[in-house]
Amino acid sequence: METPGVTIKPLLSQMTGATSLSEVNKNAMVNLFCQSEGQAIITSSQPGQYSWCDTYNGGLFTCDVFDVLLLVGQEKVSPDWESTFATMKEKTSTRQINTNEPPFKASQTPYYTIIRNNDTRTEKDQPNYDEDCIERDFDIHNTKDTDKGNTLYLALNSLVDENKSKDTRLQMIPNILQTYFANNAKVRTLGRNGMTVDYENAADFLRRIALSRRIAKITVLNENGNNKKTEISVHEIHK
């Protein structure tokens, strides 16, 4: 029976039983949804991948989103978006997806980015390092005039060049990866206080900066490896 101000649950909801918060710490959910400010963007797969589903559960990534939110409520995942999205990404990207067509196996890797409202970094707020010296360091490895256009520094900054279309920047990523990075290379992003704010696979880093609308410049602070880097440290200068 329906009374004023109260609606009857849809049949699907009735089938799954009464709503209960007994398994959830509501304060964790309040922290996640009500104590965070900024923008959080996540997609279920990388460019060139499918977002898979099955006929019973629906979208696989959607299922993982709800599973991870429950883990947050159960205090098994920290109630912040960095931890939540990272867990969602790991859960989806490690799925074994069976398909009906060769090679009968597939995968999808979510991508996310988080922009906080208090993230107002400008070029004048950056650490006191000499950017000209950083650029000269690259010239040591590229002594020929014809090679100066192929430095890692210039390659990274080409991905944040708004004069190029987003599709063009994304298409540049495979060549940059192959030219400058070893397999499983990592990129450490440092904040203006010198602390690590992100640690990513090189491919994820390149894709993130190529899609960002807020990065004005990338400076490279440190490199490990010879021709192909196993790890680099960078600093992002935001608009």
Side-chain angles (χ1 to χ4, degrees):
M1 179 178 179
E2 186 170 355
T3 59
V6 179
T7 58
I8 299 174
K9 279 189 173 185
L11 288 177
L12 179 60
S13 297
Q14 295 180 45
M15 292 171 59
T16 58
T19 301
S20 173
L21 292 177
S22 61
E23 297 182 15
V24 173
N25 179 346
K26 66 179 182 180
N27 290 328
M29 306 308 290
V30 169
N31 287 337
L32 184 64
F33 286 98
C34 301
Q35 303 300 324
S36 302
E37 294 184 356
Q39 302 174 56
I41 305 170
I42 187 166
T43 65
S44 58
S45 60
Q46 305 279 2
Q49 294 181 331
Y50 291 105
S51 293
W52 295 89
C53 65
D54 65 38
T55 55
Y56 182 77
N57 294 305
L60 301 183
F61 176 68
T62 301
C63 294
D64 292 338
V65 168
F66 288 117
D67 287 347
V68 173
L69 289 177
L70 179 59
L71 293 177
V72 173
Q74 294 173 338
E75 300 181 277
K76 296 178 180 178
V77 172
S78 178
D80 61 81
W81 287 111
E82 290 88 348
S83 301
T84 301
F85 282 166
T87 306
M88 291 175 184
K89 177 179 179 179
E90 180 181 10
K91 190 174 178 64
T92 301
S93 61
T94 55
R95 275 182 175 271
Q96 298 296 317
I97 303 173
N98 298 317
T99 67
N100 294 325
E101 298 180 358
F104 304 108
K105 297 288 183 182
S107 63
Q108 67 184 80
T109 305
Y111 172 79
Y112 67 91
T113 186
I114 299 170
I115 304 171
R116 297 175 183 81
N117 284 350
N118 61 358
D119 189 359
T120 57
R121 290 177 287 180
T122 61
E123 188 159 0
K124 67 180 186 307
D125 295 323
Q126 305 312 317
N128 293 321
Y129 51 75
D130 186 345
E131 293 186 36
D132 290 334
C133 289
I134 294 172
E135 294 186 22
R136 284 198 296 272
D137 287 342
F138 287 106
D139 290 342
I140 292 173
H141 302 292
N142 299 275
T143 54
K144 298 178 182 178
D145 290 341
T146 55
D147 291 337
K148 289 183 178 180
N150 295 322
T151 65
L152 174 59
Y153 171 83
L154 293 176
L156 295 181
N157 281 280
S158 68
L159 292 180
V160 298
D161 182 359
E162 290 189 338
N163 292 319
K164 298 180 175 66
S165 71
K166 184 181 298 182
D167 287 342
T168 297
R169 299 197 300 269
L170 289 172
Q171 291 169 4
M172 294 165 60
I173 290 175
N175 183 58
I176 294 175
L177 272 175
Q178 182 178 7
T179 302
Y180 297 103
F181 293 96
N183 291 334
N184 302 316
K186 300 289 186 180
V187 178
R188 187 183 302 275
T189 302
L190 303 180
R192 58 180 178 270
N193 59 0
M195 299 294 290
T196 299
V197 297
D198 212 336
Y199 189 63
E200 308 163 276
N201 291 328
D204 293 338
F205 167 76
L206 297 179
R207 192 172 292 109
R208 176 172 65 80
I209 67 172
L211 293 172
S212 174
R213 293 177 295 180
R214 302 183 70 246
I215 301 175
K217 187 177 182 180
I218 301 288
T219 55
V220 181
L221 306 178
N222 189 46
E223 304 172 67
N224 293 326
N226 296 319
N227 293 331
K228 294 197 174 185
K229 311 306 175 186
T230 56
E231 180 175 316
I232 65 172
S233 296
V234 303
H235 183 72
E236 299 172 4
I237 297 176
H238 287 200
K239 298 175 183 176

